[in-house]
Amino acid sequence: MALAIIDMARAERFTEIEALFAPPLRAAVSADTLRTAWAAERARIGSTWDIGAPSCEPTSSGLVRVEVAVTGERDGHTVIVTVDRAGILHGLRLAPAATSAWQPPRYARQGKFDEHDVIVGSGPLAVRGTVSMPHRRTLVAGVVLLGGGGPFDRDQSIGPNKPLKDLAWGLASRGVAVLRMDKVTHTHPDLASASGFTMVEEYLPAALAALDLLRRHPGVASERVYLLGHSAGGRAAPRVAAADGSVAGLIILAGDAAPLPQAVVRAVRHLAAEQPGPDSQAAIEAISRQAALADSPDLSPAVPAADLPFGWPASYWLDLRDYDQVATAASLNLPMLILQGGRDYQVTVADDLARWRGALASRSSVTFRVYQSNDHFFFHSRGRRPDQHVDRAVIADIAAWVQPHPLRKIITGLGSR
């Protein structure tokens, strides 16, 4: 079944793939969504594909998970299919090719910090996280990390790359405590397409619980806990800070500010330009239809998620209309560090950073930095190496910004500050 899906995609028979979906999946993913995703991947990895042998693994729910490696002339990805005994598809996604295991960046000094796992939040939507704690006898500043859009784990794993783990280990090596956590959509994947789901459910409960947890850590200065968001996490960060009321400051990495429906079309057009052809044009037309509907005054909760970008429900897009991340940030009396990669085509200097600057550049407490050679994940390399790390300069700048002066108060007991 997994190999047949790949053959159908290569032949652009996306309606036939959609017909194989179980009802919950069909409600979230349409033929147009598939066409857009495959066209973007073809632009990224190339048109000539080498199909690997399927790897099967039964799941606890009685389904079978199948992974198939697909390699193009420029890059590769993994097709992941979940199927039942009747051949009905319950899951289909594309993941970056895991060509090698993550290796610590050179700037990480594992002897300078310890890690321990934590449970963030309570109840059925609690998530797992990890605290990276420096070896210091003084109280340290802390940072809570918010991952980007998608059902990411706490490391924001992308093939062999783990940008949030890079940030955590890099900052902990420089004396900053860091808490990173699985997204609720990673722990509960069905939540993202559920009716009524919004960015609030995606980020706020876990983020607020994480901030509280790190503030109560005996080695962390409770008044020096910052919030760092990458991409969609950067979009959500001002909303979290406004709800929390005690965040020491915001760090926004590639935080999108332009209207998301427009940004989605812009990104697909960029990828299509790298691999022009009928399938790329069809992808542009498909995502343009979905984005137009998400942006339409006629959008209502009754519109199927499958007709909208990413398979997100109408409730998500309606909520975004009522939230202005730039205006929310401007309403906060907080220091902010706003970082942007010059090679980023998903969140751009011209369209997104310009909006942050327009509202905040006059404030002395807000610092902007552009890393001209960095991409969306702040990877510095221009090459095709699959394994990359967050730029050392980004780590150094964040660490210096959150701890400009060392905290002098000595820890004398578990509860003392």
Side-chain angles (χ1 to χ4, degrees):
M1 178 62 71
L3 293 174
I5 293 299
I6 295 172
D7 285 341
M8 291 178 194
R10 295 177 76 174
E12 300 184 36
R13 291 153 46 198
F14 301 107
T15 303
E16 294 179 38
I17 299 176
E18 182 185 9
L20 297 171
F21 286 171
L25 186 59
R26 189 178 302 122
V29 181
S30 68
D32 278 350
T33 304
L34 292 173
R35 180 176 289 105
T36 302
W38 282 94
E41 282 299 284
R42 179 170 293 187
R44 186 180 68 84
I45 74 174
S47 299
T48 303
W49 293 355
D50 179 37
I51 311 301
S55 171
C56 301
E57 179 185 6
T59 70
S60 58
S61 59
L63 305 174
V64 176
R65 173 190 168 102
V66 186
E67 296 189 6
V68 183
V70 177
T71 305
E73 62 261 33
R74 290 194 296 272
D75 205 341
H77 60 220
T78 302
V79 179
I80 303 174
V81 169
T82 307
V83 62
D84 64 20
R85 292 180 181 273
I88 301 299
L89 291 179
H90 292 256
L92 171 62
R93 68 185 181 94
L94 303 177
T99 55
S100 60
W102 180 85
Q103 298 295 326
R106 291 182 180 180
Y107 48 73
R109 300 289 183 264
Q110 292 176 257
K112 292 191 174 184
F113 63 93
D114 290 320
E115 288 197 315
H116 60 274
D117 289 342
V118 294
I119 300 296
V120 180
S122 58
L125 297 184
V127 297
R128 296 184 179 276
T130 299
V131 173
S132 305
M133 193 68 202
H135 296 161
R136 294 285 180 93
R137 288 187 57 79
T138 55
L139 296 176
V140 299
V143 175
V144 169
L145 306 184
L146 300 181
F152 284 116
D153 63 14
R154 71 197 74 178
D155 300 329
Q156 197 160 303
S157 298
I158 308 164
N161 304 311
K162 298 179 182 292
L164 290 194
K165 191 170 185 178
D166 289 347
L167 284 166
W169 283 32
L171 292 173
S173 298
R174 292 173 176 265
V176 179
V178 182
L179 192 161
R180 65 190 193 275
M181 58 198 160
D182 298 335
K183 288 188 66 177
V184 69
T185 48
H186 175 81
T187 306
H188 306 281
D190 293 340
L191 191 62
S193 58
S195 178
F197 180 70
T198 70
M199 192 181 73
V200 172
E201 289 77 22
E202 184 180 18
Y203 282 104
L204 263 71
L208 294 173
L211 289 164
D212 180 66
L213 191 157
L214 197 56
R215 288 192 191 104
R216 290 187 288 106
H217 193 289
V220 175
S222 60
E223 73 281 6
R224 295 279 298 280
V225 174
Y226 296 81
L227 184 64
L228 183 156
H230 172 252
S231 192
R235 181 206 313 144
R239 197 171 196 172
V240 174
D244 178 82
S246 298
V247 171
L250 289 179
I251 306 163
I252 298 175
L253 277 67
D256 57 278
L260 191 55
Q262 299 173 26
V264 172
V265 175
R266 182 188 66 206
V268 172
R269 286 186 181 277
H270 174 90
L271 291 170
E274 295 188 352
Q275 187 75 26
D279 55 333
S280 294
Q281 184 58 40
I284 293 172
E285 293 171 1
I287 197 66
S288 296
R289 283 195 302 272
Q290 293 177 336
L293 183 54
D295 211 20
S296 168
D298 297 327
L299 181 66
S300 73
V303 173
D307 293 343
L308 297 164
F310 311 130
W312 291 348
S315 53
Y316 198 101
W317 295 100
L318 290 167
D319 174 71
L320 283 184
R321 291 184 185 181
D322 296 329
Y323 170 61
D324 184 332
Q325 55 269 46
V326 176
T328 302
S331 72
L332 302 171
N333 185 24
L334 290 175
M336 300 179 202
L337 177 63
I338 300 178
L339 310 182
Q340 176 68 44
R343 293 193 297 119
D344 188 349
Y345 68 85
Q346 295 171 254
V347 176
T348 69
V349 172
D351 291 335
D352 297 275
L353 185 63
R355 295 170 188 260
W356 294 108
R357 279 178 165 159
L360 300 166
S362 62
R363 296 191 185 183
S364 61
S365 60
V366 179
T367 300
F368 294 88
R369 297 237 168 94
V370 178
Y371 304 83
Q372 293 294 348
S373 62
N374 287 1
D375 65 11
H376 186 62
F377 297 99
F378 292 86
F379 297 154
H380 180 77
S381 173
R382 288 180 177 271
R384 294 293 181 182
R385 286 185 54 189
D387 55 324
Q388 300 186 63
H389 293 293
V390 172
D391 191 344
R392 180 192 299 265
V394 174
I395 303 289
D397 287 346
I398 295 172
W401 189 79
V402 302
Q403 50 179 10
H405 306 292
L407 298 172
R408 300 296 185 187
K409 203 165 186 179
I410 303 298
I411 302 172
T412 58
L414 265 183
S416 61
R417 297 220 187 284

